[in-house]
Amino acid sequence: MQIVFTVLVLLLAVAMSGVLSRLSPVRLPLPLFQIAIGALLAAPAFGLKVRFDPELFLLLFIPPLLFVDGWRIPKRQLYQLRGPILALALGLVLFTVVGVGYFIHWLIPAISLPVAFALGAVLSPTDAVAVSAIVGKDRLPARLQHVLEGESLLNDASGLVAFKFAIAAAVTGAFSLWEASLSFVIIAAGGLAVGAGLAWLLSLGRRLVARWTDDEPAIQVVLLLLTPFAAYLVAEHFGVSGILSAVAAGIAMTYTDAAQQGSSAIRLQSNSVWSMLEFVFNGMTFILLGLQLPSVIGLAQADAREAGNVPIWHLFLYVAAITLVLIVLRLLWVWVTYHLNSFKLLLHGSPVRRINPWVLLTTSLSGVRGSITMAGVLTVPLEIAAGTPFPARDLLIFLATGVILCSLLIGSTLLPLVLSRVPVPVESMKEREEREARLRLARAALDGLEQAQRRLGYGLDEESTAVLAEVGGDLAKIYRNRIDAESDSADIAARANLHRSFERDLRMAAVYAQRAELFRLREARLLDDDVFTVLLRDVDLAENWLAGPLVSKH
């Protein structure tokens, strides 16, 4: 009962964090509210105790979150931006491990160099979800957003693999760069292969199940939910990266599902379920982080002794200094890699654009740390040998937790200010592609209508032919209006958009009237609940369709 009660409290806390973030007069990112709620629940007044098991956390929360990120990330942009993404996800991770490791060892001599490298490695993964929570959805430039999402997908694995090597070096006192590099390639490539292969196999299995169950959406969604956990567990069983396996499964599932072309009901239910789980799991990760805060702060005095008997307030200076170094190293890496790429373009005679300093600063401040860092640092072993405690373990946890909070606070304060200086194009590539695609879809619909009319009109009598022509004309008028809405002529486009706006408002009024009548009929006991549920679902689907972007942004 205690476990059930704890889970229910955590779910309630996630829901309340969303309410508080919307009601708060001060705009703060959702993760900060969730961390604060977690710390409040752990206070003596509530006394909620949750034992944080890092291995269980990595299994329950990380695979589904990375899977859905890999599933939703734009694949074309992921490929086109593979250069800067890999430079951040691999090169910057190594640069961070070395740079931050040496800095921490210099700042706190009580932390040995291998242990300092371990802390640098666990601080290297970034959290794109936290950045989106800070600045808001679609507030970042599209190209930068895709780079940050791709970086966050991959640097989780590279950072944790580097962390494991550093911990092994601290425990055994031995390290081979060649063996570590070869092991990293095998672990990463193996994880990607397992995830992609398993996604393909599970997709075939889901296709067979769909035939046997008449394409029942609930069964398909449950099987899809199991995919990231299967990818993670199978990869970990074979000693490769379970994190990269979950990412690869999400990316591959996009293509296997596209080839399968499942029903719309499955896609609608899958999107709804994943959106809910993404909100819950993300919220729980930060609430669990907040629940650890009182115990971490409570050990500050012992941590100060581990750091060389320094005053406790020195620990907070250490956290601020490490966070600042992380930002500076990220800024230097982005600046250097951009200019190296520009030099390569110059050699090939290609035009080079100067980097906007505000974009550079935005990229540097977007390196917010999150749940992966917390889960990773809590996996530091208690002992390096029987009876010999791991050196400065509690101090590492304190510093990592402090950097997570500090990066969130700095991002929350400075990112919105810096982002306001970043130039925004009049029409983004996404909006232009969406407009062009809608135009193509409307033309394809007209062609389909004409073909269907010819096919259905064959052999009909005169009255039926007239009815078919009337229906076809009414439908064609809708799609021609959509084509006019994307017209280069401002007058034609404005009139078409006005027409569509009135059409949506009138249709929505009709939907509201239908829903009100449905509830009146049920209250008057003129409708059975089964009939009411079916009709209400039809009305809700109509409202969801009308709530879409009917008016062109052109």
Side-chain angles (χ1 to χ4, degrees):
M1 285 298 294
Q2 183 63 33
I3 295 176
V4 174
F5 176 76
T6 301
V7 172
L8 292 176
V9 169
L10 291 176
L11 288 173
L12 177 61
V14 171
M16 292 306 300
S17 68
V19 174
L20 291 175
S21 67
R22 292 178 179 272
L23 296 179
S24 173
V26 181
R27 180 178 174 80
L28 291 173
L30 183 59
L32 285 180
F33 283 100
Q34 291 163 343
I35 292 172
I37 290 176
L40 183 64
L41 290 174
F46 295 95
L48 183 65
K49 303 293 182 184
V50 177
R51 181 176 171 271
F52 191 97
D53 187 333
E55 297 295 336
L56 185 62
F57 177 84
L58 285 174
L59 170 62
L60 287 181
F61 291 95
I62 303 305
L65 289 176
L66 292 179
F67 174 85
V68 74
D69 284 344
W71 190 18
R72 289 177 175 171
I73 191 171
K75 309 305 180 295
R76 187 183 64 185
Q77 282 79 3
L78 185 65
Y79 177 77
Q80 290 176 344
L81 299 171
R82 62 191 182 279
I85 288 174
L86 290 176
L88 290 172
L90 299 179
L92 180 56
V93 166
L94 180 61
F95 187 54
T96 300
V97 171
V98 175
V100 173
Y102 274 110
F103 176 77
I104 291 172
H105 179 61
W106 169 83
L107 184 68
I108 314 172
I111 299 180
S112 65
L113 193 57
V115 176
F117 284 152
L119 182 55
V122 83
L123 290 175
S124 58
T126 54
D127 193 337
V129 174
V131 175
S132 297
I134 290 171
V135 301
K137 190 177 180 180
D138 297 330
R139 286 283 307 280
L140 287 170
R143 181 183 176 88
L144 178 57
Q145 180 72 40
H146 297 323
V147 169
L148 293 177
E149 289 173 349
E151 175 199 9
S152 180
L153 275 179
L154 301 179
N155 69 6
D156 290 345
S158 58
L160 289 182
V161 170
F163 172 69
K164 290 181 180 179
F165 286 137
I167 290 294
V171 171
T172 63
F175 178 75
S176 169
L177 180 61
W178 165 250
E179 290 181 3
S181 302
L182 181 61
S183 179
F184 176 79
V185 172
I186 293 173
I187 289 173
L192 292 172
V194 168
L198 199 62
W200 181 73
L201 287 175
L202 290 176
S203 180
L204 289 180
R206 287 171 53 219
R207 198 175 306 178
L208 289 175
V209 171
R211 294 175 184 171
W212 299 335
T213 61
D214 199 21
D215 214 11
E216 172 60 36
I219 297 174
Q220 292 290 311
V221 172
V222 171
L223 292 175
L224 184 62
L225 289 177
L226 295 174
T227 302
F229 301 105
Y232 182 87
L233 290 172
V234 171
E236 290 292 321
H237 175 74
F238 288 108
V240 295
S241 175
I243 289 177
L244 276 180
S245 179
V247 171
I251 294 174
M253 194 62 72
T254 304
Y255 299 104
T256 56
D257 281 0
Q260 183 177 340
Q261 291 186 355
S263 68
S264 59
I266 293 175
R267 284 191 294 272
L268 289 171
Q269 287 197 20
S270 296
N271 287 330
S272 299
V273 170
W274 276 117
S275 296
M276 184 270 293
L277 289 179
E278 193 176 12
F279 174 73
V280 170
F281 283 4
N282 273 317
M284 279 197 172
T285 57
F286 287 105
I287 288 173
L288 287 172
L289 171 59
L291 285 168
Q292 310 310 308
L293 277 184
S295 60
V296 170
I297 295 175
L299 294 172
Q301 191 169 358
D303 297 336
R305 285 197 300 270
E306 288 183 337
N309 289 318
V310 298
I312 291 179
W313 60 269
H314 278 202
L315 298 179
F316 297 95
L317 289 181
Y318 294 158
V319 167
I322 294 171
T323 306
L324 182 61
V325 167
L326 284 169
I327 294 173
V328 171
L329 289 178
R330 186 176 177 86
L331 187 147
L332 287 174
W333 182 262
V334 173
W335 187 86
V336 169
T337 52
Y338 181 84
H339 283 82
L340 286 176
N341 185 60
S342 298
F343 180 70
K344 185 172 68 175
L345 291 174
L346 281 174
L347 291 179
H348 289 84
S350 303
V352 176
R353 291 187 303 175
R354 288 187 60 188
I355 186 170
N356 186 298
W358 296 107
V359 173
L360 178 62
L361 190 55
T362 300
T363 308
S364 305
L365 294 173
S366 297
V368 175
R369 271 62 192 177
S371 53
I372 289 287
T373 294
M374 190 67 189
V377 76
L378 287 172
T379 61
V380 174
L382 294 172
E383 298 178 340
I384 58 175
T388 306
F390 191 94
R393 182 181 185 273
D394 290 336
L395 178 59
L396 296 186
I397 295 174
F398 180 90
L399 294 175
T401 306
V403 169
I404 293 172
L405 291 174
C406 199
S407 66
L408 279 169
L409 289 171
I410 291 176
S412 305
T413 306
L414 298 181
L415 259 180
L417 298 176
V418 173
L419 197 58
S420 63
R421 300 295 190 95
V422 176
V424 179
V426 177
E427 182 182 39
S428 67
M429 183 179 69
K430 177 183 175 181
E431 291 173 341
R432 183 173 65 253
E433 287 186 353
E434 181 181 344
R435 179 168 58 84
E436 292 173 353
R438 289 183 182 279
L439 188 59
R440 289 175 179 269
L441 290 175
R443 288 171 176 166
L446 282 177
D447 292 340
L449 282 174
E450 291 176 2
Q451 294 173 14
Q453 277 187 259
R454 286 195 296 268
R455 185 179 68 254
L456 295 173
Y458 183 76
L460 291 180
D461 55 38
E462 184 176 346
E463 183 179 354
S464 298
T465 301
V467 173
L468 177 62
E470 181 182 353
V471 174
D474 292 340
L475 291 174
K477 188 183 299 183
I478 295 174
Y479 292 107
R480 289 195 184 98
N481 187 67
R482 294 183 182 179
I483 293 174
D484 289 342
E486 312 299 345
S487 172
D488 292 330
S489 171
D491 292 339
I492 295 177
R495 180 177 176 80
N497 277 322
L498 184 62
H499 181 282
R500 296 173 69 189
S501 178
F502 284 146
E503 178 188 355
R504 177 171 61 179
D505 292 343
L506 292 173
R507 285 178 180 269
M508 197 68 84
V511 165
Y512 292 156
Q514 285 180 305
R515 183 182 290 116
E517 180 65 13
L518 266 178
F519 279 98
R520 189 192 68 78
L521 290 173
R522 189 183 67 167
E523 289 174 3
R525 298 184 180 181
L526 298 176
L527 276 183
D528 187 71
D529 282 349
D530 292 339
V531 177
F532 171 81
T533 302
V534 171
L535 295 178
L536 184 62
R537 178 179 176 273
D538 292 341
V539 173
D540 289 341
L541 288 174
E543 183 181 7
N544 287 335
W545 176 72
L546 289 171
L550 289 179
V551 178
S552 172
K553 298 178 181 179
H554 177 50

